[in-house]
Amino acid sequence: MKFFLSAFTSLLLVLVIKQAHADVTISGSVRVDIAQTPFTLRGVDSITGQSNGFLSIAPSLSSSSLSGFNSFSGSTTAFSLGSSSFTTNSYGAANFSVNSFISNNAESGSLLLQSFSSASTNNSVDFSTTSLTSTTILGSSSNAFTFMPQATFATFNTYTSISSEKDGLDLLDLVTKNITTIGLRTRWEDSSGTQLYPSLSTSTVGANTTTTISLTDRNSTTHDWNTNGAAKLVFDNNGSVIDYLHPATNSSITALSSSGSLALVSSNVENTSYIFSPFDIKRVAIFPSSGTSRFVDISGNGTKVAGINFSEGYGLSLSSGITIGSSGISGFILDDDGTLTELGNYQSTNTCNGVGSYDCSIYSLGIAPTSISSDGTTVVGGALMMDRGALAIGDLVNAMYTGGFYWNSASGINLLGDLSGSNKFSIANATNEDGSVIVGTSESSSGMEAFRWTAASGMTALGDLSGGGFHSVALDVSNDGSKVIGYGNVGSNNSLPLYEGFLWQSATGMVGLGRPSTSASSMALAISGDGNVVVGTQGDLESKSVAAFRWTSSNGRELVTDWLTNTGVSLPAGYTLNTATTVNNDGTIIGGTTNTESWIAIAGRGVIYPDSFTPSLISPVSITDQSLSLFSLSLEGAHHIPLKTLQLKKDHCFWVNGDGADKDSDHTRTSLFEIGGCSDISNSARFGLGIGKSFTSKDIHNLQDHSLNGTYIYSELGLTPYSDNVVFTLSALEGNWKSSLGRYYPNAGAYDLSTGTPDIHNRSVKLRADYLNAFSYADFSITPSVSYTKTKTHIDSYTEAGGGFPAQFDEQTKRTTELRLGLSAVKKIENGTLRILLDRYKELSRDNSNISGEVIDWMYFDLEDTSKKQDRNRFGVEFDKKLDNDLIMSVLVSSSSTGDYIDKAAAISFKYGF
């Protein structure tokens, strides 16, 4: 996996990212492999871990630690708080006191309350005049929560036996497009599911200010445990449209650059995000030493990506304290030069005065980016916020929330606020070209509502479509910020909400884009930079039977498949694209996902799939490997015996060789025919020269169709400078081949084919040493040998023809070095010789140039040649038969093993001495 931009050198990203990104090492051009176990994005459904929510926070609001408190029925009533208890001494209007009690929570620490007294009336305990001191939750960290003395509860038994839960994902909780955020909303409910609301009142006695909390329904009726049952703190789960519609998809296109030549892909199977791109040396991903990271958006020119990092064990617990950034969720920007910029966190310090001064600061526990501006200067998203002032007085609903934010290098994290004015919930989903306009979703007095934000006007509510419950979500904005798209609730079908995509402009307001039928939905998910094209999905959201659409003011809403057909693309019957998630600047390129994989649709050309299209571009690797196999056959087939070892009665020879190989492991067939001659130039030297014609082909159905056809020259010089038993041989082979390369790739549900005919040049040099008849075993004479071979293969640049996505490839070069150790055992038999061969080939090095070029009129690419060094073993049997005194026929049958694959070869040779 590699990074991008052809104008820049490819970079290795070895990013060791823990809770904060750190120890970034960047060097060279090396692939980073995926080595990540699957993960599930955890929403924040628990702070304490044990109590599954904001529980065990003073006054120990845990179903396990506060129970059994009933109305006062006598002068002495006891109730338990955790493992301890206290006793009231009187009731009614009389005062009572509690000397001390402690509630223990093994995971989250302890709650210590000391010496307070108050009055009780009407079966409730009113602490409005309470004097409390040193009230602290003691965790293992000094950063644990502090419960401040000025917090009281008007009806203590309101909180008796409370519990908490995390709600399952509901359609109404879809607030983002392509990433499950750390969005968090909390609410109180009674036993029947009716929502309860915290009611706060303050009173001042002398210099002390006390806040009293109770729970009420919409009619301001105070909730009471005795009559209404136990209250429950509910955490809403916020999710993304894509995760909801395609929870098991292999991958999805989450963003496109302005030109559409860069696509950001999120892969569930590989548990990573990567750039599928013109400038991609395959894939670039960030893998922290623990946890995982995802890219969420890419700038218009593709030079920056925004991402989110989840550290291992992210989440919140009292045992580690709740501090700035303590959720283990953080945001970053990664530049094309490898620069990593952390977005940091938000903090606003403040001190509140009540019964003493206490911490009222507001800060973020984590940052989750959702989008980056086209110019790369601004990042927006959602921040998991902590309001320590609300927490200190026990206002659990308002203590923790998600706040929309924007980031720039000048001012860091800035909060957008929300439409309710009380920091309940907001998230920024997109920003325009320069970051001046931000859109998203916020909780308002009416419900969940789309917003548009500018520095001058702040957050402006965009309203809702008519019909259905009040619910609207803004997901994207045009480059100039004048057009906003998203979807709103317009009704229901069998109690399930129905949605309709919208386009908002200041002149018209929010206008629906239509739906396929009254029982179906549509969702607008992205808008082109020029604001003229809207894309999304439509259909039955419950069954997730949906189809991608493309909308323009002139053509209205049409299926992406119909748009492709209208631009000249031939599609198979029944072909479907489910969800369009992103679109380039002028609307001519659309990205999306199906239930199985991501796709990119281009007007007039078709639909390709990043997970399968990129591998097709490395097809030249196959042709270079074929040429290496062909050279190996030329050097190690009939020529496996040096010419100098031939026993000639005269000084000259003539030979004819025929070789063939069948490589089942990759469906390759190779053959050659060669003629040549040799001559002794001295008693210790023999020179040979031959010319040959060779052919190799590879045919894998709908994957590869390659062939080479050309001629070569073979030369050999054999020497015996020291002894007739020690033979040194220098061989050289050089040839030129015409090739035919067929590159298959899926296009719109069928296989497409683009072909090219590059010229191939090959050169090999081999140095060999043989020790003839070094020793004997049984009736065999044993000859050990060793050889060292260097080979260079060069492919000229070429341009493909045919298919929807032909490519132009730059020239490529591959260099290899190989060491061979061999033994041959020779035995004289009637009218000939039997020879047994054992060889071990070890590839010492392989230097591959990148495979670069351009998918014509679309994108540049720079892919790594991932072919590896290969070692092999060979076993062969050869029979030499003397046809007359000067003519020998040799037949060789051999088998080579590479890993688990067995390849077969045969050679026949006629040598004539004269």
Side-chain angles (χ1 to χ4, degrees), residues 445-468:
S445 58
S446 301
M448 197 62 72
E449 185 170 1
F451 71 80
R452 180 179 182 270
W453 180 96
T454 65
S457 303
M459 188 176 289
T460 302
L462 301 186
D464 185 32
L465 295 175
S466 61

Side-chain angles (χ1 to χ4, degrees), residues 39 95 147 180 198 253 315 454 465 474 496 566 578 609 633 654 664 682 697 740 747 773 879 904:
F39 78 104
N95 293 333
F147 173 61
T180 300
I253 305 293
T454 65
L465 295 175
L496 292 170
N566 293 335
N578 296 127
Y609 314 94
L633 185 65
F654 174 78
D664 289 334
S682 71
S697 66
S740 174
N747 180 359
N773 306 318
F879 178 69
K904 301 176 289 294

Side-chain angles (χ1 to χ4, degrees), residues 210-286:
T210 302
T211 300
T212 304
I213 304 174
S214 58
L215 295 180
T216 64
D217 60 19
R218 284 190 178 274
N219 299 320
S220 299
T221 301
T222 300
H223 173 82
D224 186 88
W225 176 81
N226 289 309
T227 56
N228 303 114
K232 179 170 60 179
L233 188 62
V234 179
F235 295 79
D236 284 336
N237 182 32
N238 300 131
S240 72
V241 175
I242 307 307
D243 285 348
Y244 173 81
L245 292 177
H246 307 281
T249 188
N250 293 347
S251 63
S252 60
I253 305 293
T254 58
L256 287 171
S257 60
S258 296
S259 66
S261 60
L262 281 165
L264 199 61
V265 183
S266 177
S267 173
N268 291 331
V269 171
E270 295 180 340
N271 185 28
T272 185
S273 303
Y274 62 90
I275 306 293
F276 166 77
S277 77
F279 315 107
D280 180 13
I281 289 189
K282 189 149 179 6
R283 296 179 180 179
V284 170
I286 304 178

Side-chain angles (χ1 to χ4, degrees), residues 855-873:
V855 179
I856 298 171
D857 296 330
W858 182 33
M859 71 175 205
Y860 296 96
F861 58 87
D862 190 353
L863 306 173
E864 182 184 10
D865 180 346
T866 58
S867 59
K868 305 290 187 181
K869 295 185 294 184
Q870 290 188 341
D871 299 335
R872 55 196 171 95
N873 301 305

Side-chain angles (χ1 to χ4, degrees), residues 353-372:
N353 292 316
V355 182
S357 297
Y358 60 101
D359 184 1
C360 254
S361 61
I362 299 174
Y363 52 79
S364 60
L365 305 175
I367 293 291
T370 57
S371 182
I372 188 171

Side-chain angles (χ1 to χ4, degrees), residues 659-676:
D659 287 79
D662 185 352
K663 194 173 182 181
D664 289 334
S665 60
D666 62 0
H667 302 265
T668 300
R669 311 289 182 267
T670 303
S671 60
L672 64 85
F673 176 78
E674 178 185 303
I675 60 174

Side-chain angles (χ1 to χ4, degrees), residues 620 622-631 668-671 693-698 705-711 736-741 757-762 793-795:
S622 177
I623 207 70
T624 56
D625 285 346
Q626 281 180 257
S627 67
L628 290 174
S629 297
L630 188 152
F631 260 43
T668 300
R669 311 289 182 267
T670 303
S671 60
K693 186 172 182 61
S694 59
F695 175 82
T696 180
S697 66
K698 181 174 185 174
D705 183 6
H706 300 165
S707 65
L708 287 171
N709 191 342
T711 58
N736 296 300
W737 288 265
K738 292 288 185 181
S739 70
S740 174
L741 282 73
T757 56
D759 292 331
I760 313 293
H761 312 279
N762 220 322
T793 301
H794 180 84
I795 303 179

